[in-house]
Amino acid sequence: QVQLVQSGAEVKKPGASVTVSCEASGYTFIGKNIHWVRQAPGQGLEWMGWISPNSGGTNSAQKFQGRITMTRDTSINTAYMELSRLRSDDTAVYFCARGEGSSWFDPWGQGTLVIVSS
Amino acid sequence: QSALTQPASVSGSPGQSITISCTGASSDVGAYNYVSWYQQHPGKAPKVMIYEVSNRPSGVSNRFSGSKSGNTASLTISGLQAEDEADFYCSSYTNSNTYVFGTGTKVTVL
């Protein structure tokens, strides 16, 4: 079955960077974009950006531009999201999700909790 | 890009129908038929319920339906059941080749 499995929880200090991985299985990895979405505690979903595993092309929400780097390794069907210059308000669960066309996200990874605290 | 506007909460009794609105702009909801809806139970990843305004993925109950008029999309849940109690989010593609989610709606089954 189609599945996205993310890396484990992280605790980081303010100013540091974090990298979350997302390993895909059950489909052709380069065929569909991978999106990154985050959810702060008790808050709503926030779209962060996408990467095309085929071309490596990316696009991100203006809010994250300059701080987010999305990459992929097609040899191991894995996408990565690095967020730099972390602040306490970056504390959130980070999800990856497969994009379907220009339209919807399915399935989603299980989520990765990132805590930013001094 | 501002979040799409949803009501914070909607409630209904078992068997009733409820509708959740999702208001955007002419640069997102109004521009494309790329609106999707997600159900999220506490501590879980979101699950797609409707895509491209009104299409249901395989396995999603036909009690869920979607529509759009202008800059506002809507999700209707008919025959409300206890298991429908969850948070719901809309999402839309935008003219910047980005995406935006709604503010989220908590559905309560009375």
Side-chain angles (χ1 to χ4, degrees), chain A residues 33 35-37 39 42-48 50 58-62 65 95 100-111, chain B residues 1 33-36 38 40 43-48 50-53 57 87 89 91-93 96-104:
Chain A
N33 290 350
H35 296 258
W36 291 93
V37 177
Q39 186 170 37
Q43 302 301 308
L45 301 174
E46 182 175 31
W47 182 83
M48 300 178 71
W50 59 256
T58 63
N59 196 13
S60 61
Q62 191 170 10
Q65 289 177 6
F95 293 99
E100 283 289 356
S102 295
S103 180
W104 43 301
F105 313 121
D106 180 65
W108 294 59
Q110 81 276 20
Chain B
Q1 185 75 46
N33 286 327
Y34 291 147
V35 175
S36 51
Y38 301 86
Q40 186 182 33
K44 301 294 188 181
K47 172 189 174 185
V48 63
I50 294 288
Y51 68 94
E52 291 173 359
V53 175
D87 293 325
Y89 296 91
S91 174
S92 176
Y93 179 69
S96 300
N97 196 19
T98 61
Y99 294 79
V100 60
F101 281 97
T103 50

Coordinates of all heavy atoms in Angstrom, one line a residue, chain A residues 33 35-37 39 42-48 50 58-62 65 95 100-111, chain B residues 1 33-36 38 40 43-48 50-53 57 87 89 91-93 96-104:
Chain A
N33 N 4.5 14.9 -6.5 CA 5.1 15.8 -5.6 C 4.9 15.4 -4.1 O 4.0 14.7 -3.8 CB 4.5 17.2 -5.8 CG 4.9 17.9 -7.1 OD1 5.8 17.4 -7.8 ND2 4.3 19.0 -7.4
H35 N 4.5 17.2 -0.4 CA 4.2 18.5 0.3 C 4.6 18.4 1.7 O 4.6 17.3 2.3 CB 2.7 18.8 0.1 CG 2.3 19.1 -1.3 ND1 2.1 20.3 -1.8 CD2 2.0 18.2 -2.3 CE1 1.7 20.2 -3.0 NE2 1.7 19.0 -3.4
W36 N 4.9 19.6 2.3 CA 5.1 19.6 3.8 C 4.1 20.6 4.4 O 3.9 21.7 3.9 CB 6.6 20.1 4.0 CG 7.6 19.1 3.6 CD1 8.2 19.0 2.4 CD2 8.1 18.0 4.4 NE1 9.0 17.9 2.4 CE2 9.0 17.3 3.6 CE3 7.8 17.5 5.7 CZ2 9.6 16.1 4.1 CZ3 8.5 16.4 6.1 CH2 9.4 15.7 5.3
V37 N 3.5 20.1 5.5 CA 2.5 20.8 6.2 C 2.8 20.7 7.7 O 3.2 19.7 8.2 CB 1.1 20.2 5.9 CG1 0.0 20.9 6.7 CG2 0.8 20.2 4.4
Q39 N 1.6 21.8 11.9 CA 0.5 22.1 12.8 C 1.0 22.3 14.2 O 1.5 21.4 14.9 CB -0.5 20.9 12.8 CG -1.8 21.1 13.6 CD -2.8 20.1 13.4 OE1 -2.5 18.9 13.3 NE2 -4.1 20.4 13.3
G42 N -2.5 22.7 19.1 CA -3.8 23.3 19.2 C -4.2 24.2 18.1 O -5.3 24.8 18.2
Q43 N -3.4 24.2 17.1 CA -3.7 25.1 15.9 C -4.1 24.4 14.7 O -4.1 23.1 14.7 CB -2.5 26.0 15.7 CG -2.0 26.8 16.9 CD -3.1 27.7 17.4 OE1 -3.7 28.5 16.6 NE2 -3.4 27.7 18.7
G44 N -4.3 25.1 13.6 CA -4.7 24.5 12.3 C -3.5 24.1 11.5 O -2.3 24.2 11.9
L45 N -3.8 23.6 10.3 CA -2.8 23.1 9.3 C -2.2 24.3 8.6 O -3.0 25.3 8.2 CB -3.5 22.2 8.4 CG -4.1 20.9 8.9 CD1 -4.8 20.1 7.8 CD2 -3.1 20.0 9.7
E46 N -1.0 24.3 8.3 CA -0.3 25.3 7.6 C 0.6 24.7 6.5 O 1.5 24.0 6.8 CB 0.6 26.2 8.6 CG 1.3 27.3 7.9 CD 2.0 28.2 8.9 OE1 2.5 27.7 10.0 OE2 2.2 29.4 8.7
W47 N 0.3 25.0 5.3 CA 1.1 24.5 4.1 C 2.4 25.2 4.1 O 2.5 26.4 4.1 CB 0.3 24.7 2.8 CG 1.0 24.1 1.6 CD1 1.0 22.8 1.2 CD2 1.8 24.8 0.7 NE1 1.7 22.7 0.1 CE2 2.3 23.9 -0.2 CE3 2.2 26.2 0.6 CZ2 3.1 24.3 -1.3 CZ3 3.1 26.5 -0.4 CH2 3.5 25.6 -1.4
M48 N 3.5 24.4 3.9 CA 4.8 25.0 3.9 C 5.4 25.0 2.5 O 6.1 26.0 2.1 CB 5.7 24.2 4.8 CG 5.3 24.2 6.3 SD 6.3 23.2 7.3 CE 7.8 24.3 7.4
W50 N 6.3 22.5 -1.4 CA 6.3 21.2 -2.1 C 7.7 21.0 -2.9 O 8.4 22.0 -3.2 CB 5.2 21.0 -3.1 CG 5.1 22.1 -4.2 CD1 4.2 23.1 -4.3 CD2 5.8 22.2 -5.4 NE1 4.3 23.8 -5.4 CE2 5.3 23.3 -6.2 CE3 6.8 21.4 -6.0 CZ2 5.8 23.7 -7.4 CZ3 7.4 21.8 -7.2 CH2 6.9 22.9 -7.9
T58 N 11.2 23.1 -6.4 CA 10.5 23.4 -5.2 C 9.7 24.7 -5.3 O 9.9 25.5 -6.1 CB 11.4 23.5 -4.0 OG1 12.3 24.6 -4.2 CG2 12.2 22.2 -3.8
N59 N 8.7 24.8 -4.4 CA 8.1 26.1 -4.2 C 7.6 26.1 -2.7 O 7.2 25.0 -2.2 CB 6.9 26.3 -5.1 CG 6.4 27.8 -5.2 OD1 7.1 28.7 -4.7 ND2 5.3 28.0 -5.8
S60 N 7.6 27.3 -2.1 CA 7.2 27.3 -0.7 C 6.4 28.5 -0.4 O 6.4 29.5 -1.2 CB 8.4 27.3 0.2 OG 9.3 28.4 -0.1
A61 N 5.7 28.5 0.7 CA 4.9 29.6 1.1 C 5.9 30.8 1.4 O 7.0 30.6 1.9 CB 4.1 29.3 2.4
Q62 N 5.4 32.0 1.1 CA 6.3 33.1 1.3 C 6.9 33.2 2.7 O 8.0 33.6 2.9 CB 5.5 34.4 0.9 CG 6.4 35.6 0.8 CD 5.7 36.8 0.2 OE1 4.4 36.8 0.0 NE2 6.4 37.9 -0.1
Q65 N 10.1 31.2 3.0 CA 11.2 31.4 2.0 C 12.4 32.0 2.7 O 12.3 32.9 3.5 CB 10.7 32.2 0.8 CG 9.7 31.5 0.0 CD 9.1 32.3 -1.2 OE1 9.5 33.4 -1.4 NE2 8.2 31.7 -1.9
F95 N 4.1 17.4 9.0 CA 3.7 16.3 8.1 C 4.2 16.4 6.7 O 4.3 17.5 6.2 CB 2.1 16.3 8.0 CG 1.3 16.1 9.3 CD1 0.8 17.1 10.0 CD2 1.1 14.8 9.7 CE1 0.1 16.9 11.1 CE2 0.4 14.6 10.9 CZ -0.1 15.6 11.6
E100 N -1.6 14.9 -5.2 CA -2.3 14.3 -6.3 C -2.6 15.4 -7.3 O -3.5 16.3 -7.0 CB -3.6 13.6 -5.8 CG -3.4 12.3 -5.2 CD -3.0 11.2 -6.1 OE1 -2.9 11.5 -7.4 OE2 -2.7 10.1 -5.7
G101 N -1.9 15.4 -8.4 CA -2.2 16.5 -9.4 C -1.9 17.8 -8.8 O -1.0 18.0 -8.0
S102 N -2.7 18.8 -9.1 CA -2.6 20.1 -8.5 C -3.6 20.3 -7.4 O -3.9 21.4 -7.0 CB -2.9 21.2 -9.6 OG -1.9 21.1 -10.5
S103 N -4.1 19.2 -6.9 CA -5.3 19.3 -6.1 C -5.3 18.9 -4.7 O -5.7 19.7 -3.8 CB -6.4 18.5 -6.9 OG -7.6 18.5 -6.2
W104 N -4.9 17.7 -4.3 CA -5.1 17.2 -3.0 C -3.9 16.4 -2.5 O -3.0 16.1 -3.2 CB -6.4 16.3 -2.9 CG -6.6 15.4 -4.1 CD1 -6.7 15.7 -5.4 CD2 -6.8 14.0 -3.9 NE1 -7.0 14.5 -6.1 CE2 -7.0 13.5 -5.2 CE3 -6.9 13.1 -2.9 CZ2 -7.3 12.1 -5.5 CZ3 -7.1 11.8 -3.1 CH2 -7.3 11.3 -4.4
F105 N -4.0 16.1 -1.2 CA -2.9 15.5 -0.5 C -3.3 14.1 0.1 O -4.2 14.1 0.9 CB -2.4 16.4 0.7 CG -2.2 17.8 0.3 CD1 -3.0 18.8 0.9 CD2 -1.4 18.2 -0.8 CE1 -2.8 20.2 0.6 CE2 -1.2 19.5 -1.1 CZ -1.9 20.5 -0.4
D106 N -2.7 13.1 -0.4 CA -3.0 11.7 0.1 C -2.0 10.7 -0.4 O -1.7 10.7 -1.6 CB -4.4 11.3 -0.5 CG -4.8 10.0 0.0 OD1 -5.0 9.8 1.2 OD2 -5.0 9.1 -0.8
P107 N -1.5 9.9 0.5 CA -1.7 9.9 1.9 C -0.8 10.9 2.6 O 0.0 11.6 2.0 CB -1.3 8.5 2.3 CG -0.2 8.1 1.4 CD -0.5 8.8 0.1
W108 N -0.9 10.9 3.9 CA 0.0 11.7 4.8 C 0.9 10.8 5.6 O 0.5 9.7 5.9 CB -0.9 12.5 5.8 CG -1.8 13.5 5.1 CD1 -2.8 13.3 4.2 CD2 -1.8 14.9 5.3 NE1 -3.4 14.5 3.8 CE2 -2.8 15.5 4.5 CE3 -1.1 15.8 6.2 CZ2 -3.1 16.9 4.5 CZ3 -1.3 17.1 6.2 CH2 -2.3 17.7 5.3
G109 N 2.1 11.4 6.0 CA 2.9 10.7 6.9 C 2.3 10.8 8.3 O 1.3 11.4 8.5
Q110 N 2.9 10.1 9.2 CA 2.4 10.0 10.6 C 2.7 11.3 11.4 O 2.1 11.4 12.5 CB 2.9 8.8 11.3 CG 4.3 9.0 11.9 CD 5.5 8.7 11.0 OE1 5.3 8.8 9.8 NE2 6.7 8.5 11.6
G111 N 3.5 12.1 10.9 CA 3.8 13.4 11.6 C 5.1 13.2 12.4 O 5.4 12.2 12.9
Chain B
Q1 N -0.1 34.9 1.9 CA -1.4 34.2 1.6 C -2.1 34.0 2.9 O -1.6 33.3 3.8 CB -1.1 32.9 0.9 CG -2.3 32.1 0.5 CD -2.9 32.7 -0.8 OE1 -2.3 33.0 -1.8 NE2 -4.2 32.8 -0.8
N33 N -10.9 24.8 -9.5 CA -11.7 23.8 -8.9 C -10.8 22.8 -8.2 O -10.9 21.5 -8.3 CB -12.5 23.0 -9.9 CG -13.7 23.9 -10.4 OD1 -14.2 24.7 -9.6 ND2 -14.0 23.8 -11.7
Y34 N -9.8 23.3 -7.4 CA -8.8 22.5 -6.7 C -9.0 22.7 -5.2 O -8.1 23.0 -4.5 CB -7.4 22.9 -7.1 CG -7.1 22.5 -8.6 CD1 -6.2 23.2 -9.3 CD2 -7.6 21.3 -9.1 CE1 -5.9 22.8 -10.6 CE2 -7.3 20.9 -10.4 CZ -6.4 21.7 -11.2 OH -6.1 21.3 -12.5
V35 N -10.2 22.6 -4.8 CA -10.6 22.6 -3.3 C -10.7 21.2 -2.8 O -11.4 20.4 -3.4 CB -11.8 23.4 -3.1 CG1 -12.2 23.4 -1.6 CG2 -11.7 24.9 -3.6
S36 N -10.1 21.0 -1.7 CA -10.2 19.7 -1.0 C -10.5 19.8 0.4 O -10.3 20.9 1.0 CB -8.9 18.8 -1.2 OG -7.8 19.6 -0.8
Y38 N -10.4 17.9 4.4 CA -9.7 16.9 5.2 C -10.4 16.8 6.6 O -10.8 17.8 7.2 CB -8.2 17.3 5.4 CG -7.5 17.4 4.1 CD1 -7.6 18.6 3.3 CD2 -6.9 16.3 3.5 CE1 -7.0 18.7 2.1 CE2 -6.3 16.4 2.2 CZ -6.4 17.6 1.5 OH -5.9 17.7 0.3
Q40 N -9.7 15.4 10.5 CA -8.6 15.1 11.4 C -9.1 14.8 12.8 O -9.7 15.7 13.4 CB -7.5 16.2 11.4 CG -6.3 15.9 12.2 CD -5.3 17.0 12.3 OE1 -5.7 18.2 12.4 NE2 -4.0 16.7 12.4
G43 N -4.8 13.8 17.4 CA -3.5 13.0 17.4 C -3.3 12.2 16.1 O -2.3 11.4 16.1
K44 N -4.1 12.4 15.1 CA -4.0 11.7 13.9 C -3.6 12.6 12.7 O -3.8 13.8 12.8 CB -5.3 10.9 13.6 CG -5.7 10.0 14.6 CD -4.8 8.8 14.8 CE -5.3 7.7 15.7 NZ -4.4 6.6 15.9
A45 N -3.1 12.0 11.6 CA -2.9 12.7 10.4 C -4.2 13.0 9.7 O -5.2 12.2 9.9 CB -2.0 11.9 9.5
P46 N -4.3 14.1 9.0 CA -5.5 14.4 8.2 C -5.8 13.3 7.2 O -4.9 12.6 6.7 CB -5.2 15.7 7.6 CG -4.1 16.3 8.4 CD -3.3 15.2 8.9
K47 N -7.1 13.2 6.8 CA -7.5 12.3 5.8 C -8.4 13.0 4.8 O -9.3 13.8 5.2 CB -8.4 11.2 6.5 CG -9.1 10.2 5.5 CD -10.0 9.3 6.2 CE -10.9 8.5 5.2 NZ -11.9 7.6 5.9
V48 N -8.1 12.8 3.5 CA -8.9 13.5 2.5 C -10.3 13.0 2.4 O -10.5 11.7 2.4 CB -8.2 13.5 1.2 CG1 -8.1 12.1 0.6 CG2 -8.9 14.4 0.2
I50 N -12.9 15.0 0.4 CA -13.4 15.5 -0.8 C -12.2 16.1 -1.6 O -11.4 16.8 -1.0 CB -14.4 16.6 -0.6 CG1 -15.7 16.0 0.0 CG2 -14.8 17.3 -1.9 CD1 -16.6 15.1 -0.9
Y51 N -12.1 15.9 -2.9 CA -11.1 16.5 -3.7 C -11.7 17.2 -4.9 O -12.8 16.7 -5.4 CB -10.0 15.6 -4.1 CG -10.4 14.5 -5.0 CD1 -10.2 14.6 -6.4 CD2 -10.9 13.3 -4.6 CE1 -10.6 13.6 -7.3 CE2 -11.3 12.3 -5.4 CZ -11.1 12.4 -6.8 OH -11.5 11.4 -7.7
E52 N -11.1 18.2 -5.5 CA -11.6 18.9 -6.6 C -13.0 19.3 -6.5 O -13.9 19.0 -7.3 CB -11.3 18.1 -7.9 CG -9.8 18.0 -8.2 CD -9.4 17.0 -9.3 OE1 -10.3 16.4 -9.9 OE2 -8.2 16.9 -9.6
V53 N -13.3 19.9 -5.4 CA -14.6 20.5 -5.0 C -15.6 19.5 -4.6 O -16.3 19.7 -3.5 CB -15.2 21.4 -6.2 CG1 -16.6 21.9 -5.8 CG2 -14.2 22.5 -6.5
P57 N -13.0 10.4 -2.6 CA -12.1 9.3 -2.9 C -12.7 8.0 -2.5 O -13.7 7.9 -1.8 CB -10.9 9.6 -1.9 CG -11.1 11.0 -1.5 CD -12.5 11.3 -1.6
D87 N -12.0 17.5 13.6 CA -11.7 18.8 13.0 C -11.7 18.6 11.4 O -11.2 17.6 10.9 CB -10.4 19.3 13.4 CG -10.3 19.7 14.9 OD1 -11.4 20.2 15.4 OD2 -9.3 19.5 15.5
Y89 N -10.8 20.6 7.7 CA -10.0 21.7 7.0 C -10.3 21.7 5.5 O -10.2 20.6 4.9 CB -8.5 21.5 7.3 CG -8.1 21.7 8.7 CD1 -8.0 20.6 9.5 CD2 -7.8 22.9 9.3 CE1 -7.6 20.7 10.9 CE2 -7.4 23.0 10.6 CZ -7.3 21.9 11.4 OH -6.9 22.0 12.7
S91 N -8.8 23.2 1.8 CA -7.5 23.5 1.2 C -7.8 23.9 -0.3 O -8.7 23.4 -0.9 CB -6.5 22.4 1.2 OG -5.3 22.7 0.5
S92 N -7.0 24.9 -0.7 CA -7.1 25.3 -2.1 C -5.7 25.6 -2.8 O -4.8 26.0 -2.1 CB -8.0 26.6 -2.2 OG -8.0 27.0 -3.6
Y93 N -5.6 25.3 -4.0 CA -4.5 25.7 -4.8 C -4.6 27.2 -5.1 O -5.8 27.7 -5.1 CB -4.5 24.9 -6.1 CG -3.4 25.2 -7.1 CD1 -2.1 24.9 -6.8 CD2 -3.7 25.9 -8.3 CE1 -1.1 25.1 -7.7 CE2 -2.7 26.1 -9.2 CZ -1.4 25.8 -8.9 OH -0.4 26.1 -9.8
S96 N -0.3 31.4 -7.1 CA 1.1 31.5 -6.9 C 1.8 30.1 -7.0 O 2.9 30.0 -6.6 CB 1.4 32.1 -5.6 OG 0.9 33.4 -5.5
N97 N 1.0 29.1 -7.4 CA 1.5 27.7 -7.5 C 1.8 27.2 -6.0 O 2.7 26.5 -5.8 CB 2.7 27.6 -8.4 CG 3.0 26.1 -8.7 OD1 2.1 25.2 -8.6 ND2 4.2 25.8 -9.2
T98 N 1.0 27.8 -5.1 CA 1.1 27.3 -3.7 C -0.2 26.8 -3.2 O -1.2 26.8 -4.0 CB 1.6 28.5 -2.8 OG1 0.6 29.6 -2.9 CG2 2.9 29.1 -3.2
Y99 N -0.3 26.5 -2.0 CA -1.6 26.0 -1.4 C -1.9 26.7 -0.1 O -1.0 27.3 0.5 CB -1.5 24.5 -1.2 CG -1.3 23.7 -2.4 CD1 -0.1 23.6 -3.1 CD2 -2.4 23.0 -3.0 CE1 0.0 22.9 -4.3 CE2 -2.3 22.3 -4.2 CZ -1.1 22.3 -4.8 OH -0.9 21.6 -6.0
V100 N -3.1 26.7 0.3 CA -3.5 27.4 1.5 C -4.6 26.5 2.2 O -5.5 26.0 1.5 CB -4.0 28.8 1.3 CG1 -5.2 28.9 0.3 CG2 -4.2 29.5 2.6
F101 N -4.5 26.4 3.5 CA -5.5 25.7 4.2 C -6.5 26.7 4.9 O -6.2 27.9 5.1 CB -4.9 24.9 5.3 CG -4.3 23.6 4.9 CD1 -2.9 23.5 4.6 CD2 -5.1 22.5 4.7 CE1 -2.4 22.3 4.2 CE2 -4.5 21.3 4.2 CZ -3.2 21.2 4.0
G102 N -7.7 26.1 5.2 CA -8.6 26.9 6.0 C -8.3 27.0 7.4 O -7.4 26.2 7.9
T103 N -9.0 27.8 8.2 CA -8.7 28.0 9.6 C -9.2 26.8 10.5 O -8.7 26.7 11.6 CB -9.4 29.2 10.1 OG1 -10.8 29.2 9.7 CG2 -8.7 30.5 9.5
G104 N -10.0 25.9 9.9 CA -10.4 24.7 10.6 C -11.7 24.9 11.3 O -12.0 25.9 11.8

